Amino acid sequence: MAYNEKIRTLIDNLETTMIGKKSAAELMVTALLCGGHVLIEDVPGVGKTTLAMALAKSLGLDFKRIQFTPDVMPADITGYTMYDINEKKYVYHPGLLISNVILADEINRASPKTQSALLEAMEEKQITVDGKSYRLLEPFLILATQNPVDLTGTYPLPEAQLDRFLLKIRIGYPEKEDEARLLKMHIARKTLIDQLPRVISGEELADMQREVFGVTVHDAIIAYITEIAAASRASRDLSLGVSPRGSLALMRASQAAAYIEGRNYVTPDDVRKMLPFVLNHRVILKKEAIIAGKSAGSVMAACAASVALPTFQTK
């Protein structure tokens, strides 16, 4: 846990650009520590892009933004091979995915064909072009955004794609006092992103990620997570419950949450804290549940409540 102070510095660094949104900053760092991707769904103008840029700047990592529109093609993001007359051979031209931090802005405006080009990269951290695979840079993190309004001309993400996002978060509107502070900073012409220092190196981040995977998960915690997943699969309100990938994601996120708090073991509180952000976007409500006014959040909360808290026996 030698890096706990640096993690706090990173979270504070992000909060300077997202005033009053410490929880969103913590969730971004949580995903970063366990090598997961994040889907940010919120209304325009609340700082989704700013948060992604601030994270890359704070880590000193290569950053690329892809503005997804219906005319963006898979080759634009994965790259392509073309015959080089001078070299007398086919040469690979890298796409926009060859970077550390990728901002997939308004991902639901890309066609399903282009969206699916991200699947291999998100799961296996490699891309395949014309039968040849290319490893992506390490670390590799996709931060995707989508707006829940103005859905004309959008393509909803399929369940297989949603399942590859470790977390789905919202930022929300700032409090009046925080918004006033933001306006004053802009009056002073303070360019927040440009002023951010790098607080963690790539080597330090790799060490942190290894330490996160070493956070102890008691058998009782594992049983607790699997029981919640089983409850979702048996729920009368869900047509699709939590997948094994979802269970693994919840365990990894809980390890990262414990690590941020300076602990080397996971508690039930860590699991409950991360559950809404990890599991709610992985389940599908039945039509009857939607008509009854239920949400994925309320159903998953009921599933979690139906499972007894784990008990720990000491020898």
Side-chain angles (χ1 to χ4, degrees), residues 172-185:
Y173 290 117
E175 299 294 332
K176 288 187 292 184
E177 295 80 5
D178 294 328
E179 191 167 3
R181 286 174 57 198
L182 179 64
L183 296 178
K184 289 177 181 178
M185 293 178 76

Side-chain angles (χ1 to χ4, degrees), residues 141-295:
L141 175 66
I142 290 182
L143 307 174
T145 71
Q146 65 178 13
N147 300 325
V149 296
D150 188 21
L151 297 178
T152 303
T154 62
Y155 303 88
L157 296 180
E159 287 68 36
Q161 189 114 34
L162 287 172
D163 203 34
R164 280 168 169 77
F165 285 101
L166 179 79
L167 305 177
K168 181 181 178 182
I169 69 174
R170 294 178 181 269
I171 296 175
Y173 290 117
E175 299 294 332
K176 288 187 292 184
E177 295 80 5
D178 294 328
E179 191 167 3
R181 286 174 57 198
L182 179 64
L183 296 178
K184 289 177 181 178
M185 293 178 76
H186 278 271
I187 289 175
R189 298 182 181 275
K190 291 185 178 180
T191 53
L192 303 178
I193 297 293
D194 294 339
Q195 293 177 348
L196 286 180
R198 189 183 80 166
V199 296
I200 294 177
S201 68
E203 294 77 13
E204 289 172 330
L205 176 59
D207 288 342
M208 291 178 187
Q209 290 175 332
R210 282 191 289 270
E211 288 186 353
V212 166
F213 286 133
V215 171
T216 300
V217 185
H218 194 278
D219 286 347
I221 294 292
I222 292 177
Y224 183 50
I225 292 173
T226 55
E227 287 293 334
I228 292 174
S232 74
R233 296 164 195 161
S235 174
R236 295 180 178 180
D237 294 318
L238 299 175
S239 59
L240 179 68
V242 175
S243 68
R245 183 188 285 128
S247 300
L248 178 60
L250 181 56
M251 184 184 72
R252 294 301 187 205
S254 300
Q255 287 177 295
Y259 186 82
I260 290 174
E261 293 297 327
R263 284 183 278 102
N264 64 352
Y265 58 91
V266 175
T267 68
D269 285 340
D270 295 323
V271 177
R272 288 198 297 264
K273 176 183 176 181
M274 298 311 305
L275 188 150
F277 308 105
V278 177
L279 299 186
N280 287 359
H281 64 283
R282 301 173 188 270
V283 299
I284 298 178
L285 289 170
K286 290 183 178 179
K287 291 181 179 179
E288 299 88 336
I290 296 174
I291 293 172
K294 296 180 180 181
S295 65

